[in-house]
Amino acid sequence: MAESVNLQKCTKEELLFLIERMRHYNLGDNLFRLAKRDLVNERLMRRERLAQEQAEIAHDARMKYVDLLKQYEGAPIEDIPAGVFNQAQALLIKAIEADKKWTQLVGMNSGG
């Protein structure tokens, strides 16, 4: 009796073996090309989802930053309590880090 194979439980080596067998027997060269195209599309969609998540993190952090400092608008910086200032700084750092991740995900370099 033949053993059933669950591809999700296969090791990398086993998957590579199956791919090479398919190509060796010419069972699915066209299907293999289509599957590779699907894989490229899946990677792009995954990157897009991750980039969107990072954009939302950056936006939310900036909005919290603005809300936090709104009551101190126009006041000298020394009038902002240290705790509030530190919180605001942490929010900006979070936004900047998310922006950097977004930039990497969408393939833009930060150089001019």
Side-chain angles (χ1 to χ4, degrees), residues 1 4 13 17 33 39 43 53 62 75 80 88 106:
M1 184 154 121
S4 176
E13 292 79 19
F17 173 82
R33 278 194 289 277
L39 177 59
R43 286 177 178 171
E53 288 172 13
R62 284 191 178 87
I80 302 172
V106 297

Side-chain angles (χ1 to χ4, degrees), residues 7-34:
L7 294 179
Q8 292 179 337
K9 293 183 179 180
C10 287
T11 66
K12 179 180 176 181
E13 292 79 19
E14 290 170 334
L15 291 172
L16 290 173
F17 173 82
L18 288 172
I19 291 167
E20 287 305 316
R21 278 297 162 179
M22 287 177 64
R23 295 182 79 201
H24 174 74
Y25 293 127
N26 288 326
L27 293 177
D29 228 23
N30 288 332
L31 293 175
F32 184 68
R33 278 194 289 277
L34 288 173

Side-chain angles (χ1 to χ4, degrees), residues 40-106:
V40 168
N41 286 335
E42 176 59 29
R43 286 177 178 171
L44 290 172
M45 289 189 307
R46 187 178 325 125
R47 288 174 72 102
E48 186 177 312
R49 281 192 305 273
L50 293 172
Q52 181 62 33
E53 288 172 13
Q54 293 304 313
E56 290 171 9
I57 289 169
H59 174 75
D60 290 346
R62 284 191 178 87
M63 292 298 98
K64 288 177 183 175
Y65 171 87
V66 168
D67 288 343
L68 185 65
L69 293 180
K70 187 177 253 176
Q71 64 184 331
Y72 302 102
E73 190 172 334
I77 197 165
E78 58 268 3
D79 288 351
I80 302 172
V84 172
F85 187 82
N86 291 338
Q87 253 186 302
Q89 185 177 18
L91 287 166
L92 277 184
I93 290 170
K94 183 176 183 177
I96 290 167
E97 288 172 354
D99 284 340
K100 286 179 184 178
K101 289 177 185 175
W102 178 89
T103 299
Q104 290 173 340
L105 288 164
V106 297

